Amino acid sequence: MACWATQPMICSAARVCASSYAAEISGSSAAASGQVFGPVAAVGRRLRTAARINEEMPSSGCCARRRRVEVTGGRTVRRLIDAGAARTTSTRKPGGMVFINSSVGPSFEAVHPTRAAAPGIRFPVYDDLTDRLVKPETDPATGEPDPLTAHVLAVAAGYAYSDGQTVAEMMTRLGMEKCTCLTVTFRNDTMFVAATAHVIQSEDGRVVVVAFRGTEPVNLINWLTDVDTAQQKVRLDEDAPIDVHPGFYRNIRAIRYKLRKALLLALAGKPVDGNLDTPTDRAPMEALYLTGHSLGGAMAALLALLVRRDEEDEASFGGVLSAVYTYGQPMVGSPALAAACDADPRLGGRLFRYVYEGDPIPGMPSRDTGRWGHFGRERQHVTGLGDAGWQQSTSNVGQIRFAGQMAVAFGSLALSQLLVLQRIPVLYRIDDHRPQHYIEKLAPEGAVSEFGDRVYALAPTPALRLRRTIEHWGRRLTSVRPPSRLTNAQPPADQTSSNHRLDQPEERGIEAAQ
């Protein structure tokens, strides 16, 4: 199996120094009262000793490092970072809720696969990735997704659960060398807000990808956001209010203006992080993509809606917003809102949703919480008796009838791992929601993964085909599906209204929502 070579070997002294850091905390009440236990004091002495060693490190040669000093409130943290291809800076806004991190991806040479491990391997995964995103082979204005873009954005959405430096490195492996990644995080636990977005800008500035982080498995606030499903009426302008998912809306609203500031910098041909140390000779942004998995997909869809409804944002970003790609995205609004968005070709016509097999999240919120609907062009990965692959949906996925069915979906995780139980049909499987399934199934045939290995897709066995077919038809029969769906045909350009009102869907949209 091929592997990527990430960092050259350094001397042992550099490894010792690079693994140590010092934290000085002032105003500690425990220290003032003399309640510092022996082991804690010993650790503190070791950290202070490590800090002195770090400060005395040589500034050149194989041990070269750059020291970053971060000051947050009463706490000063000194860390060592590599002075090589990658750069990371971090700030925290007053109030303790907004965190902004900036990273620059490595060069191709820094992550090039070793010849011994990967002879003749194609690197990066895609040549001229920036050019191919600016002018994709399949124009999203046609209402059809571009396969290369779908795979690239699936990788970005999957690794949005990581930090900014990891996202920048993965985009480098795909073909976007030395990209800038601005990570914006807003957290307010009491209001069920824990939003994170990565703004990825190509080195030449022409392409920007905004990848939203989805629901983290161990993040309680994310889960509380997901289950906050009482529809909320929101007035975005002088038009009538619209019904949206309150948890999703609060999260995108919290970071929307930080993202807007970064995108305006990109439009002006400047780095999205506003860092003066970054070369500023960039072209203005030509292509903007929004993407996300799970909760991140819902936030991407809502941001597209907000841009479309805001006259100023539409004037600024409407011309460069190429498409929105989401994976395992839940529903974000009422059926009337979904129908109105579908009737707008510049919104519903450029949003592409991917649903993998029995992923239960696209069927949420469940019917017992109210009526919800999807908008956009849907692709489902279906394994049938005859073939398997991505198919254009003739009808959007329906709502799961009862919230209690999610307990069965989570319980099915064991069935996906144990060979003796894999043949038991289960309508919804939480294992199908994992982002790696979307990444692997969207990778072009013969292409290597973002790590350089080749994923060999084995033909499904007859037993698996039968089980998947039973599950697929079981979902179609038991879910609450929309009665009809708008056609994928796009109206001529001269019939596209630039001020389409989403609160007043066309007659056929209203009929579909009832």
Side-chain angles (χ1 to χ4, degrees), residues 52-125:
R52 289 194 296 270
I53 295 175
N54 292 339
E55 293 175 0
E56 295 172 359
M57 283 183 62
S59 59
S60 62
C62 68
C63 296
R65 294 289 186 272
R66 182 174 65 227
R67 186 179 65 183
R68 181 178 78 240
V69 179
E70 300 175 4
V71 180
T72 305
R75 180 172 180 172
T76 302
V77 181
R78 293 183 175 88
R79 296 182 185 273
L80 290 174
I81 61 175
D82 293 335
R87 172 180 59 78
T88 303
T89 59
S90 178
T91 60
R92 178 177 178 179
K93 296 299 182 182
M97 292 190 296
V98 181
F99 300 85
I100 298 177
N101 179 277
S102 175
S103 305
V104 174
S107 65
F108 287 148
E109 289 298 325
V111 292
H112 199 285
T114 59
R115 291 187 177 89
I121 195 172
R122 185 176 67 182
F123 179 82
V125 178

Side-chain angles (χ1 to χ4, degrees), residues 301-302 304-305 329 332-333 337-339 341-342 347-348 351 353 373-377 396 485:
L302 283 176
L305 170 61
Q329 172 210 319
V332 300
L337 174 63
C341 291
D342 266 334
L347 182 58
L351 189 149
R353 291 184 299 101
H374 273 302
F375 64 91
R377 309 306 184 224
N396 290 334
R485 187 172 183 268

Side-chain angles (χ1 to χ4, degrees), residues 172-252:
T172 295
R173 297 177 188 275
L174 290 175
M176 197 176 289
E177 182 184 25
K178 297 181 180 178
C179 57
T180 300
C181 181
L182 176 71
T183 303
V184 180
T185 298
F186 188 104
R187 188 177 181 94
N188 187 319
D189 293 355
T190 305
M191 298 180 67
F192 301 165
V193 175
T196 298
H198 303 281
V199 184
I200 309 157
Q201 182 185 36
S202 62
E203 186 181 19
D204 62 7
R206 293 189 297 153
V207 173
V208 173
V209 175
V210 181
F212 292 92
R213 180 179 296 171
T215 300
E216 299 178 88
V218 296
N219 191 323
L220 176 61
I221 303 304
N222 282 160
W223 290 101
L224 293 175
T225 295
D226 296 339
V227 300
D228 187 6
T229 57
Q231 288 186 5
Q232 178 180 358
K233 290 188 177 294
V234 177
R235 184 183 296 276
L236 300 180
D237 48 29
E238 69 277 3
D239 293 339
I242 59 176
D243 295 314
V244 297
H245 187 293
F248 301 159
Y249 178 73
R250 280 198 303 271
N251 274 259
I252 188 58

Side-chain angles (χ1 to χ4, degrees), residues 370-448:
R371 290 188 177 275
W372 301 83
H374 273 302
F375 64 91
R377 309 306 184 224
E378 182 176 289
R379 296 290 189 279
Q380 292 187 23
H381 189 280
V382 178
T383 300
L385 294 177
D387 56 1
W390 295 103
Q391 302 176 5
Q392 169 68 48
S393 299
T394 57
S395 176
N396 290 334
V397 313
Q399 286 183 268
I400 293 178
R401 287 188 178 273
F402 306 106
Q405 290 179 266
M406 287 299 296
V408 180
F410 278 93
S412 69
L413 184 61
L415 302 181
S416 302
Q417 312 304 321
L418 302 178
L419 293 176
V420 69
L421 301 177
Q422 283 184 355
R423 297 185 180 182
I424 300 177
V426 179
L427 297 186
Y428 298 98
R429 295 174 178 267
I430 198 62
D431 180 74
D432 289 344
H433 184 60
R434 295 195 293 174
Q436 60 264 36
H437 294 306
Y438 289 92
I439 295 174
E440 292 175 2
K441 296 302 182 182
L442 285 168
E445 185 177 356
V448 297

Side-chain angles (χ1 to χ4, degrees), residues 270-330:
K270 299 178 181 179
V272 290
D273 60 357
N275 194 310
L276 299 179
D277 296 333
T278 304
T280 57
D281 52 342
R282 303 187 179 197
M285 175 174 58
E286 299 179 23
L288 170 63
Y289 291 93
L290 308 180
T291 189
H293 169 264
S294 190
L295 165 64
M299 294 174 65
L302 283 176
L303 181 59
L305 170 61
L306 293 175
V307 169
R308 190 76 176 101
R309 286 296 297 263
D310 188 289
E311 293 184 0
E312 187 175 351
D313 284 351
E314 172 65 19
S316 299
F317 310 121
V320 296
L321 180 55
S322 297
V324 183
Y325 286 75
T326 68
Y327 311 90
Q329 172 210 319

Side-chain angles (χ1 to χ4, degrees), residues 118-140:
I121 195 172
R122 185 176 67 182
F123 179 82
V125 178
Y126 296 110
D127 297 325
D128 303 324
L129 178 58
T130 300
D131 293 334
R132 298 169 77 172
L133 290 176
V134 171
K135 293 183 178 181
E137 293 184 4
T138 304
D139 188 352

